[in-house]
Amino acid sequence: MLKRIVIKFGTTSLTNHTRELSRPNMLEFVRQIAELHSEGHQIIVVSSGAVTAGIEILKNPKIAKDLPAKQMFSSIGQGRLIQLWTELFSFYQINVGQILLTRGDLSDRQRYLNVRDTITTLIDHRVIPVINENDTVATEEIRVGDNDNLSALVANTVAADLLILLTDQKGLYNDDPRKNPNAQLVEHVTRIDPSIFNLARGGSEVGTGGMITKVEAAQIAMQSGTQTVIAAFDEKNILMRIVKGEKIGTQFKPEMSPRESRKRWLLSEQPRGKIQVDEGAEVQLKLKGASLLPIGIACTSDVFSRGSIVKVVNASDHLVAVGVTSYSSDEIIKIKGCHSQSIKERLGYSYGNVVIHRDNMVINKEIEP
């Protein structure tokens, strides 16, 4: 089964316990991702390492590691980091696209939609997004603060099937393995409660993360239906083994799939408006699992904004689907009945070829009475 996978590489994973980015380590990760990519999986990379790259460029100067200094190092190193990823992936004829985010980009509705659309468009075109926090402009108020939680927020945004968090430990232990040689690996977690966080508090590693932030990330991911695996970066073929289902590291399994989680969310929210479709569009949605295109839209009712949850109905006002619209009611009035290629001509801009993407829609037959 093909999967949408978010892989987070921390500083330790990329440096291999040194003070510089390890090209051999990064190339090995790229080799595995390239193989997964060739199998059809959709891969999204969340990468730390910009600050380390900046320090490397300046030959490890003894400069205070306060926020302005880290922002300076990040500014210097971000170009080097994406250059490395670009060059290494090019060995496998794979293109990458850089995305720099802050929490503000994921908490503001319009910016969130832009982030989601950019990521999904990249992976639809078989380009691997490489995401990092935008440290050079982030303030304490809009920082995520660590790439573990950022990767979970990204997984939530794109409804990923799997989140992989690589670290310098084999996973979550019932005690600190550095201090207790008898510490046991916790192989499965189905519910994250205070006892799980207590297990994570003893860990520490290079960078801004640690086991506690990985458990926080797993909790975010589980709530959106995404399975999370915390595992050691230096295990042979670690990415391949996790994706193929090998029981390795600590696995956090949600009670529902991303699809079921998204379905429940869509049905729990009050629709803001209604889109009426013609018979042809109704057939495409119900029987072929298609996205809703402007050509199949007859009219709208109520006023709603881009990103709103709306009902999709037929000419008899019977419910066809519920979904998240990529266009506002005013915009839909202008593009209804036209071919997707004409959207930009009519609006002067475009948010994509579809009004409601199939991934953001629940068909009536799936709606429980």
Side-chain angles (χ1 to χ4, degrees):
M1 177 181 176
L2 298 181
K3 296 178 179 179
R4 182 172 289 182
I5 307 164
V6 177
I7 306 172
K8 183 265 177 176
F9 297 103
T11 303
T12 305
S13 305
L14 299 179
T15 62
N16 196 21
H17 299 287
T18 69
R19 295 192 175 188
E20 297 182 349
L21 295 175
S22 169
R23 278 63 171 174
N25 261 39
M26 294 179 69
L27 181 58
E28 172 56 20
F29 294 141
V30 167
R31 180 192 67 78
Q32 294 179 59
I33 292 173
E35 186 168 343
L36 294 170
H37 186 265
S38 69
E39 293 174 357
H41 298 290
Q42 296 178 327
I43 310 296
I44 300 161
V45 170
V46 176
S47 174
S48 300
V51 172
T52 298
I55 293 173
E56 179 183 328
I57 291 171
L58 294 183
K59 303 187 184 304
N60 196 29
K62 294 181 179 180
I63 300 176
K65 304 300 190 295
D66 55 12
L67 182 58
K70 288 183 177 180
Q71 290 176 319
M72 179 195 70
F73 288 132
S74 178
S75 175
I76 296 168
Q78 194 62 247
R80 172 69 62 84
L81 179 65
I82 193 63
Q83 178 188 25
L84 274 173
W85 283 120
T86 300
E87 291 175 349
L88 295 175
F89 274 109
S90 71
F91 294 152
Y92 296 90
Q93 290 78 52
I94 296 174
N95 294 316
V96 304
Q98 182 183 41
I99 302 177
L100 299 177
L101 299 176
T102 65
R103 184 180 290 277
D105 296 316
L106 299 174
S107 59
D108 178 85
R109 184 62 183 168
Q110 291 300 316
R111 286 151 66 189
Y112 166 88
L113 292 171
N114 290 337
V115 169
R116 184 200 67 189
D117 292 348
T118 298
I119 296 174
T120 54
T121 301
L122 285 169
I123 58 180
D124 284 346
H125 286 81
R126 305 299 290 157
V127 177
I128 293 180
V130 177
I131 300 171
N132 195 359
E133 181 151 27
N134 195 355
D135 289 318
T136 59
V137 301
T139 62
E140 291 299 330
E141 290 77 16
I142 62 172
R143 281 177 59 81
V144 176
D146 64 88
N147 277 333
D148 293 320
N149 277 285
L150 178 62
S151 65
L153 293 171
V154 169
N156 175 277
T157 300
V158 300
D161 301 293
L162 176 63
L163 169 63
I164 300 175
L165 303 172
L166 296 184
T167 180
D168 59 352
Q169 294 294 312
K170 292 182 180 296
L172 177 67
Y173 282 82
N174 63 0
D175 198 1
D176 189 344
R178 298 177 181 88
K179 300 176 182 178
N180 181 1
N182 296 318
Q184 299 295 310
L185 180 69
V186 179
E187 297 181 353
H188 301 283
V189 176
T190 56
R191 180 173 175 268
I192 296 179
D193 55 25
S195 67
I196 298 298
F197 279 106
N198 286 336
L199 295 181
R201 294 187 196 284
S204 63
E205 57 180 296
V206 175
T208 59
M211 193 56 67
I212 188 71
T213 59
K214 289 171 179 57
V215 173
E216 290 172 349
Q219 185 176 51
I220 294 171
M222 289 176 73
Q223 290 170 350
S224 57
T226 300
Q227 178 183 354
T228 303
V229 178
I230 300 175
F233 73 86
D234 52 2
E235 290 274 0
K236 186 173 182 180
N237 286 324
I238 184 62
L239 300 177
M240 303 294 301
R241 292 160 65 187
I242 291 173
V243 174
K244 292 183 184 303
E246 183 174 333
K247 306 305 179 187
I248 190 169
T250 300
Q251 306 202 9
F252 297 78
K253 292 195 174 183
E255 295 180 355
M256 66 188 82
S257 67
R259 172 67 179 168
E260 180 64 22
S261 175
R262 195 155 188 80
K263 172 183 169 182
R264 291 190 185 185
W265 171 69
L266 285 171
L267 298 179
S268 70
E269 297 288 327
Q270 182 66 34
R272 298 294 182 89
K274 191 184 296 183
I275 298 175
Q276 185 185 111
V277 298
D278 60 28
E279 185 177 351
E282 181 180 5
V283 170
Q284 290 292 318
L285 296 178
K286 284 185 173 180
L287 302 183
K288 298 188 178 180
S291 298
L292 176 59
L293 305 178
I295 196 169
I297 297 176
C299 64
T300 67
S301 61
D302 303 314
V303 176
F304 51 85
S305 60
R306 178 174 181 245
S308 296
I309 296 176
V310 297
K311 290 182 179 180
V312 179
V313 300
N314 61 18
S316 301
D317 204 38
H318 292 148
L319 184 66
V320 175
V322 175
V324 179
T325 174
S326 296
Y327 291 89
S328 70
S329 53
D330 288 343
E331 291 166 332
I332 292 173
I333 289 171
K334 296 176 183 178
I335 64 175
K336 64 183 177 66
C338 81
H339 288 282
S340 296
Q341 292 78 3
S342 301
I343 291 176
K344 188 172 183 179
E345 179 182 338
R346 294 202 179 187
L347 295 179
Y349 55 88
S350 172
Y351 294 124
N353 293 334
V354 303
V355 174
I356 302 179
H357 194 280
R358 62 183 179 272
D359 291 342
N360 297 313
M361 190 187 317
V362 179
I363 305 302
N364 188 20
K365 63 183 178 181
E366 301 177 271
I367 300 176
E368 299 171 0

